[in-house]
Amino acid sequence: MRLALFILIMSKTKNVPIIFRLFIYAIGIYIVEFASGFLLDMLTGSCPWEYKEGLHILGYIRLDYLPAWMGFGYLLEKLVLFFQQLGLIPKYN
């Protein structure tokens, strides 16, 4: 499901300049990380990756990890395109 969502976002932003796409990917990752951390904290009383240092929001996400998440989004985009060329992942228009 998450991969399908990523592929859908890729298809909708394919004409957007790369720097903006990378920000969109990072924001999406932050949303998932924050939501899952918040839910885990509410359900179990703790979040496994509770950040206490750096520039963080409520301990669920670290804003200073932005370049790493942008790089991960770039890598994931390239992997998806590669697997689409091999026919292993469907293409969305």
Side-chain angles (χ1 to χ4, degrees):
M1 161 115 172
R2 288 172 281 188
L3 180 60
L5 182 60
F6 184 80
I7 294 170
L8 181 64
I9 292 169
M10 274 182 58
S11 70
K12 300 296 182 191
T13 61
K14 64 184 170 191
N15 295 323
V16 174
I18 183 72
I19 191 70
F20 295 120
R21 283 200 321 267
L22 297 181
F23 271 110
I24 291 167
Y25 300 154
I27 289 168
I29 291 168
Y30 277 144
I31 290 169
V32 171
E33 185 180 22
F34 186 90
S36 57
F38 178 79
L39 286 174
L40 281 170
D41 198 10
M42 292 296 109
L43 294 173
T44 66
S46 69
C47 174
W49 59 85
E50 185 176 355
Y51 300 115
K52 297 183 189 282
E53 298 176 5
L55 185 59
H56 64 86
I57 296 178
L58 301 175
Y60 300 126
I61 59 173
R62 280 196 49 178
L63 299 177
D64 51 336
Y65 286 0
L66 180 68
W69 287 131
M70 291 172 74
F72 179 72
Y74 181 77
L75 176 66
L76 192 57
E77 179 182 90
K78 295 303 176 189
L79 283 172
V80 166
L81 291 173
F82 175 71
F83 287 131
Q84 283 178 335
Q85 288 177 344
L86 293 177
L88 299 174
I89 295 177
K91 294 181 181 181
Y92 293 97
N93 294 328

